[in-house]
Amino acid sequence: MKPMHNVFPFTAIVGQETMKLGLLLNLINPRLGGVLIRGEKGTAKSTAVRALADLMPGLNVVNLPVSATEDRVVGTLDIEHAIRQGEKRFEPGLLAAAHGHILYVDEINLLDDAIVDALLDAAAMGVNTVEREGVSHSHPAQFILIGTMNPEEGELRPQLLDRFALSVEVSGEKDVPSRMEVIRRRLAFESDPEPFRQRYGQDQMLLQERIVQAKELLRQIEPTEEMLEWTANIGIRLEVDGHRADITLMKTAMALAAYQGRTRVLPEDMTEAAMLVLPHRMRKRPFEDQIGGVEELRQQLGNLLTEGAHVT
Ligand SMILES: Nc1ncnc2c1ncn2[C@@H]1O[C@H](COP(=O)(O)OP(=O)(O)OP(=O)(O)O)[C@@H](O)[C@H]1O
């Protein structure tokens, strides 16, 4: 089990607002479909993941190392035992351990494709099925999938990118005061974790309450015809492939509304959601463009929504 006193508080992380939002939305709706965090080394990615689990009692992080074999991930069926004894014997893997928790895959872009496929399937279905020579075993595997990667070390296949609900870009702080604050907080935490954690105790409690309340509000949100039309039009106008993006966009906007304490989804929720859902799915990905790509997307979405987003 995690040593609580060792965890850097979520609310003490300096900046990185988009990453934090992407993580929190998955806490509000654990069936959202996970988040892919892309960016350079040392930008609080793993710190944020551990801190996320620390926010909610009983939530743990299960690490999936790049070196893990497929058997270790999905579990193993003992076929010889099944033949000899006529009964199934299943050795659970990491997907079973992650049920009800967070599955954290650092450097997901370096993971074997077959394993990535298996874990994205399980994440989507909420069930892990292992088949060997006509014998199969299934068990629940509902987890929040969080993948991190440094794009300089290789990309994920587009088919796999599309299976992550959200994607966020992280980079180091560029201004001196923020960088100073990162150092200050880290040193204070390392020199004496407990008082540091206490200093953020109130903020942590407020955030935890906000998440609990958002979960409750989310249950009350129904997608209206207008919201469905916005979403469908965004999908068409921005030329995303298939329907997965539309569905995720709707779910994300609903989680965002709940996080803002509302049961009504507003156009700004759609824009905000689109910034997390679409960049990694568009045929021409904004983050591959020069400066302005993501901002252009934001502007395009703003125009779409104010126009009423009608496609002629
Ligand atoms: N925005 C931030 N706020 C607070 N601490 C930060 C921030 N960014 C980095 N740090 C600190 O920098 C160190 C590195 O962060 P971390 O280990 O989370 O990086 P990472 O993004 O997971 O990198 P890697 O890909 O190398 O594992 C940690 O000590 C962390 O506390």
Side-chain angles (χ1 to χ4, degrees), residues 258-285:
Y259 183 54
Q260 296 305 335
R262 292 185 259 103
T263 52
R264 199 167 145 241
V265 177
L266 301 178
E268 52 259 42
D269 299 321
M270 302 298 309
T271 313
E272 207 57 40
M275 301 306 295
L276 297 164
V277 172
L278 298 184
H280 61 300
R281 293 193 161 93
M282 289 167 65
R283 289 200 196 124
K284 186 176 162 226
R285 307 218 306 267

Side-chain angles (χ1 to χ4, degrees), residues 8 13-14 16 41-47 182 186:
F8 192 86
I13 296 170
V14 179
Q16 306 297 7
K41 294 189 286 282
T43 44
K45 298 188 294 295
S46 52
T47 302
V182 169
R186 186 68 208 184

Side-chain angles (χ1 to χ4, degrees), residues 2-11 27 47-61 102 189 194 197 200 204-205 208:
K2 61 192 168 190
M4 299 295 286
H5 60 276
N6 258 343
V7 181
F8 192 86
F10 193 85
T11 52
L27 214 51
T47 302
V49 174
R50 282 193 294 272
L52 185 75
D54 174 52
L55 260 185
M56 301 311 265
L59 195 61
N60 285 311
V61 180
I102 292 170
F189 172 72
E194 261 323 305
R197 282 178 59 84
Y200 288 88
Q204 292 280 104
M205 206 184 67
Q208 194 192 86

Side-chain angles (χ1 to χ4, degrees), residues 174-206:
K174 296 288 180 286
D175 65 295
V176 171
S178 303
R179 290 185 86 99
M180 286 165 64
E181 193 56 23
V182 169
I183 308 168
R184 202 179 285 128
R185 290 189 192 180
R186 186 68 208 184
L187 293 190
F189 172 72
E190 283 181 10
S191 76
D192 211 346
E194 261 323 305
F196 184 83
R197 282 178 59 84
Q198 273 165 26
R199 224 191 300 156
Y200 288 88
Q202 173 81 355
D203 289 351
Q204 292 280 104
M205 206 184 67
L206 289 175

Side-chain angles (χ1 to χ4, degrees), residues 27 83 92 111-112 117 121 127 129 173 188 224 256 278 282 284-285 300:
L27 214 51
I83 293 166
L111 203 63
D112 187 77
D117 273 335
D121 272 344
V127 173
T129 303
E173 298 293 335
T224 62
L256 269 163
L278 298 184
M282 289 167 65
K284 186 176 162 226
R285 307 218 306 267
Q300 226 180 331

